[in-house]
Amino acid sequence: MVTGDVVGLDLSCGLLQDNIPSNSSLFLLPHLRNLNLSFNDFNYSRIPSEFGLLSNLTRLDLSSSSFSGQVPFEISRLSKLVYLDISENHSLRLETPVVEGELQVLNLRGNSQLAGSFPKVNWSNALSVLDVSSAGFSGELLYSIGNLKSLRYLLLSSNNFSGSISSSLSNLKQLIELDLSRNNFIGQIPNMFTNLTHLSSLDFSHNQLVGPIPSDVSGLQNLTTINLSYNRLHGPIPSSIFKLVNLTQFELSSNNLSGTLDPYMFAKLKSLKRLNVSHNSLSLSTAVEFDTSLEEILRNQNNLRWLDLSDNKIHGHVPNWIPETVGKLISLKILNFSRNNLTGFIPSFLKNLMELESLDLSWNELDGKIPTELTSLTYLSVLELTGKELKNGIFKMICGDVMLWKQHFLCSA
């Protein structure tokens, strides 16, 4: 403090409390470049405007520290600031620009009082991370956001954004993650993906989007996660999606998708860990296709953990897949075939799924035995499976000594 030559100060998780007085010696450090005050408790006091005196600041982290009130205008004068994190303070307001100079990272996540329209600020052309998740913003997304050519992470989930998704997002050629989930976006998904070749994660779930899934996704070879669930999308699943060979999470549940699903297309998705196309109107056309082509899917799924095909129009027998196929499924933890039109007997291959934790076969026309070898099961649903052999077997499982059952049962009387 004698020389004021301190350039970095990390007081995160420092048990600091109450407010920061305006005459604090903190503001007498003119050479300070990095300041971290995160995870303290400033008792909902205001962010001091004296932060504007620290003209050499490049990184400022005030996250999760119980600040409230207006973000001071003086912060926008910190022309050397490249990193600003004021997330998870919950009671902050933003009425003046905070994005000027060469800011690269702006994190406003979890400040639910930042209600109102998205701020019309002097955006930094260097901005690469913009996180305003759960910030209470509403209104239409500004078309000008497409001018942020350096953006790599655009995270806008859990706000009240409305209107259509701007086609200007196609200009963000450096994007790695795009999250617009849990908003009120309407209209169709624009054809915007041709230029987004670096995209790894795409989440448009929990909106009110309609129309078909765009077919221009085949160039997204770096995509590992796609989530379009809980919208009103209709039409078939475009074949171009099945060219995304690095997919690990594929979520299309709770839409109005229809058509015949060709399971052979899944064979190339060898990295897939989670597949959920439940609550649509998809079908596999015949029992023969179900027996042979679904087997082909699973033979290639070394990493599959979650398989949910529930509430569709799949019919026919569940096949007794060959041991080679079953061996590839040893990591499967969740399997859901419920609310289809499956018939015949519960397949004996299930006994080999030793890591299976949740099994739902309900609302089909299946009979047979639930394998007692499934010692990892914690959830089992056989609602509306009326087979006599199945009922007797369930009774023995619950009341007998075949194994120590810890399952949560849902079954018909």
Side-chain angles (χ1 to χ4, degrees), residues 150-204:
S150 297
L151 264 185
R152 302 179 69 195
Y153 297 89
L154 179 58
L155 311 175
L156 308 179
S157 68
S158 301
N159 285 282
N160 290 296
F161 289 119
S162 58
S164 58
I165 295 175
S166 175
S167 60
S168 70
L169 296 180
S170 64
N171 297 328
L172 306 180
K173 298 180 181 180
Q174 304 302 316
L175 269 186
I176 294 175
E177 183 173 352
L178 177 58
D179 188 351
L180 306 183
S181 63
R182 298 182 184 276
N183 281 287
N184 294 304
F185 286 112
I186 61 174
Q188 297 191 16
I189 301 174
N191 290 314
M192 53 181 282
F193 300 111
T194 304
N195 296 329
L196 306 184
T197 56
H198 296 285
L199 202 62
S200 173
S201 177
L202 174 67
D203 192 344
F204 288 172

Side-chain angles (χ1 to χ4, degrees), residues 48-121:
S49 60
E50 284 76 14
F51 278 115
L53 299 174
L54 304 176
S55 58
N56 285 302
L57 272 185
T58 60
R59 296 177 61 89
L60 178 59
D61 191 343
L62 304 178
S63 61
S64 301
S65 287
S66 299
F67 283 112
S68 67
Q70 172 63 34
V71 178
F73 174 78
E74 285 77 7
I75 285 182
S76 67
R77 295 177 178 173
L78 299 175
S79 60
K80 297 181 180 180
L81 204 62
V82 298
Y83 179 99
L84 176 60
D85 189 346
I86 53 177
S87 63
E88 304 297 343
N89 281 290
H90 305 294
S91 298
L92 289 177
R93 299 192 307 276
L94 181 66
E95 298 171 3
T96 55
V98 295
V99 187
E100 292 185 357
E102 294 301 315
L103 198 65
Q104 297 176 16
V105 175
L106 175 61
N107 192 345
L108 305 176
R109 183 186 68 247
N111 290 308
S112 57
Q113 298 302 311
L114 299 180
S117 300
F118 205 50
K120 297 180 179 179
V121 297

